Amino acid sequence: MLIKKGIEDLALFNGKPAFAVPRSTSNLLQPDIEKFLEYSKVFYEQGQYTNNGPNVRLLEKRLAEFHEVSHCITFNSGFWALALTMSVLALEHRSEVVMPALTYRRMADIAAWVPLKPRFCEVDPTTLAMTRKTVEPCINEETALILGVHPIVNGCDVEGLEQLSDETGIPLLFDSVESVYEGLAAGKVGKFGRAEGFSLHACKLLNGFGGGYITTNDGALAQKLAVLRGFGFSGLDNVVLGQGMNAKLNEIHAAMALASLDDVDAQVERNRERYQTYQRRLAGVPGLRLVAFDERYPTGYKNIVVELLPSWPLSREITIALLNAENILARSYYAPPLHRKVMAFPHVPADLPVTDRLAEVFINLPCGHRVSPADVEDIVTILEFMAKHADEILEKTRSGSQG
Ligand SMILES: *Cc1c(COP(=O)(O)O)cnc(C)c1O
């Protein structure tokens, strides 16, 4: 890596970027191409490209085994997997879904398609996750569904939410997109609530180019979802359900997802090495706190989330601008939170002081297939350099002399 001698070497001040090729927070897993081609030949030779072909059937079987559930239904995206499952599970004649605001930026849009009105709940300040306690005040006569969303490091309060769902009779669906590999105190992710939703987008742990799936132990639900994703058809031109969609996963995506699934244990091992490099190096950087994975249970080590403590000498905005200029594509963690976004659809206005505070202080750092442990060393070296020269940096940005 290029050694930075003074702040004029920082790319934001017209120095040469530390990385010629951007390092991002996207996973972009590249499984073995031979495996991908092997799976692809199966559907190609059979001439079946979609509609429950051989790879989709195999993928659903393997994912059900992986998550230790009886059913897996694949979709063309995590978005439609969740939207269609929400539409099936939501209690009739009720209008609201409870979800956190500190979460995936399109989560409220998913609810809007059902349609359900999002009511945003707080999260726990330590785990960054929704809990029974933060959801309970949001329950009312209009609550049709609880959407339990895991944060991107560790899981949410699965047991508490299941209890609340049992007591109130309000169905519970999990968005487990960022928790594919996780185990929790209550067991392996995939079998909780009425169902759980996952994504096969290229930026997630399992790369199917794009796609999604639902896991459940409810056979009737699985059957309904299988019909809904295929236009609502049951047999030739017999539309059985009103809200059908074309949301099927096609065979080439399933082939890629299968190749990714074959690689998942090896990938997690590589993720662990990246994470441990961050952990070792960031321990020596005052003002930065790496959000730790709970290693008592299996975890995918996929995402790198860092808190900027009050002792970190630069604002988050400047920190991210400096990093991005170096082609280190750090981003702010789930900011703005959903309740602060402009929404062109009905939603319940929310006052969420904990979420507002948390949404100001975390960043995501590069991770995934294209980031090597040596890259991680270099990224932390740049952060150290920024902290050491913070006064000069602030002076230069204040005087607006960035050229
Ligand atoms: C990416 C993501 C989704 C949506 O998945 P797609 O397959 O991209 O539609 C849903 N929830 C969470 C938490 C996500 O990160």
Side-chain angles (χ1 to χ4, degrees):
M1 188 190 58
L2 218 67
I3 305 292
K4 310 259 179 209
K5 296 202 183 72
I7 66 161
E8 64 284 356
D9 291 338
L10 286 168
L12 190 66
F13 306 131
N14 291 334
K16 201 161 176 238
F19 293 96
V21 179
R23 299 299 193 271
S24 85
T25 56
S26 255
N27 201 35
L28 304 177
L29 174 73
Q30 255 181 344
D32 181 359
I33 188 157
E34 294 306 324
K35 285 223 158 136
F36 167 59
L37 293 175
E38 213 176 288
Y39 286 118
S40 298
K41 277 182 192 157
V42 176
F43 78 81
Y44 199 86
E45 276 159 16
Q46 293 185 20
Q48 182 165 9
Y49 310 121
T50 185
N51 277 350
N52 221 21
N55 282 309
V56 160
R57 292 198 307 271
L58 179 60
L59 178 64
E60 291 179 344
K61 179 173 172 285
R62 293 222 9 226
L63 285 171
E65 284 163 11
F66 179 79
H67 288 288
E68 299 167 9
V69 293
S70 52
H71 301 278
C72 168
I73 305 292
T74 56
F75 294 83
N76 62 349
S77 68
F79 190 110
W80 284 110
L82 287 164
L84 289 173
T85 312
M86 285 166 94
S87 78
V88 174
L89 291 179
L91 295 178
E92 271 180 59
H93 313 299
R94 292 183 173 210
S95 59
E96 294 182 5
V97 55
V98 182
M99 64 170 73
L102 193 66
T103 189
Y104 174 58
R105 61 190 191 282
R106 296 267 72 97
M107 198 70 88
D109 305 58
I110 299 177
W113 275 99
V114 178
L116 284 170
K117 212 191 284 184
R119 180 182 283 271
F120 301 108
C121 68
E122 276 288 21
V123 290
D124 178 273
T126 314
T127 61
L128 310 181
M130 63 203 285
T131 65
R132 176 190 172 122
K133 226 170 95 190
T134 69
V135 171
E136 224 165 353
C138 297
I139 303 289
N140 61 49
E141 306 79 59
E142 283 300 325
T143 312
L145 183 72
I146 300 168
L147 184 66
V149 191
H150 295 295
I152 70 176
V153 176
N154 302 324
C156 72
D157 174 21
V158 167
E159 284 146 312
L161 294 178
E162 284 197 323
Q163 260 172 20
L164 185 62
S165 167
D166 287 346
E167 287 165 25
T168 57
I170 297 167
L172 171 62
L173 167 67
F174 282 100
D175 177 321
S176 303
V177 168
E178 290 292 351
S179 304
V180 178
Y181 204 84
E182 314 307 285
L184 306 166
K188 193 172 167 93
V189 163
K191 59 174 169 290
F192 299 113
R194 296 285 302 280
E196 301 198 32
F198 301 86
S199 167
L200 298 169
H201 190 268
C203 67
K204 318 288 176 165
L205 194 80
L206 297 179
N207 179 5
F209 302 130
Y213 63 96
I214 293 288
T215 57
T216 182
N217 281 318
D218 180 341
L221 173 63
Q223 201 169 1
K224 253 189 204 169
L225 291 172
V227 172
L228 275 176
R229 73 175 171 186
F231 304 101
F233 286 158
S234 168
L236 263 190
D237 289 339
N238 177 23
V239 177
V240 290
L241 288 162
Q243 282 210 300
M245 253 297 249
N246 180 359
K248 301 182 299 275
L249 189 72
N250 67 45
E251 282 292 299
I252 199 157
H253 285 227
M256 183 67 164
L258 281 164
S260 294
L261 188 57
D262 286 338
D263 183 58
V264 73
D265 292 326
Q267 182 198 173
V268 166
E269 205 35 52
R270 297 190 298 270
N271 286 350
R272 190 162 73 102
E273 198 185 339
R274 275 183 281 269
Y275 168 72
Q276 287 179 339
T277 309
Y278 271 117
Q279 196 176 38
R280 174 171 52 75
R281 288 295 315 279
L282 285 171
V285 187
L288 299 180
R289 180 183 72 88
L290 177 66
V291 178
F293 286 97
D294 183 347
E295 297 182 90
R296 289 174 301 170
Y297 310 104
T299 171
Y301 296 100
K302 175 173 167 281
N303 302 299
I304 303 298
V305 180
V306 167
E307 182 180 2
L308 307 186
L309 301 168
S311 55
W312 178 250
L314 297 164
S315 71
R316 184 171 67 173
E317 198 189 346
I318 291 178
T319 304
I320 289 179
L322 286 162
L323 292 171
N324 287 178
E326 303 295 340
N327 272 332
I328 300 166
L329 303 188
R331 354 182 357 179
S332 52
Y333 174 82
Y334 288 147
L338 300 185
H339 70 298
R340 295 281 174 199
K341 279 178 176 302
V342 178
M343 281 170 269
F345 45 80
H347 59 281
V348 185
D351 182 24
L352 304 172
V354 177
T355 294
D356 285 336
R357 181 170 60 74
L358 295 171
E360 299 282 317
V361 296
F362 291 93
I363 61 172
N364 299 336
L365 288 177
C367 58
H369 196 80
R370 293 169 171 268
V371 176
S372 71
D375 293 343
V376 172
E377 298 270 359
D378 291 346
I379 290 165
V380 180
T381 300
I382 296 270
L383 284 163
E384 282 172 332
F385 180 88
M386 285 161 49
K388 191 171 153 211
H389 296 88
D391 289 345
E392 287 167 81
I393 289 168
L394 286 172
E395 202 174 314
K396 197 159 165 87
T397 51
R398 245 186 250 117
S399 66
S401 56
Q402 332 178 1

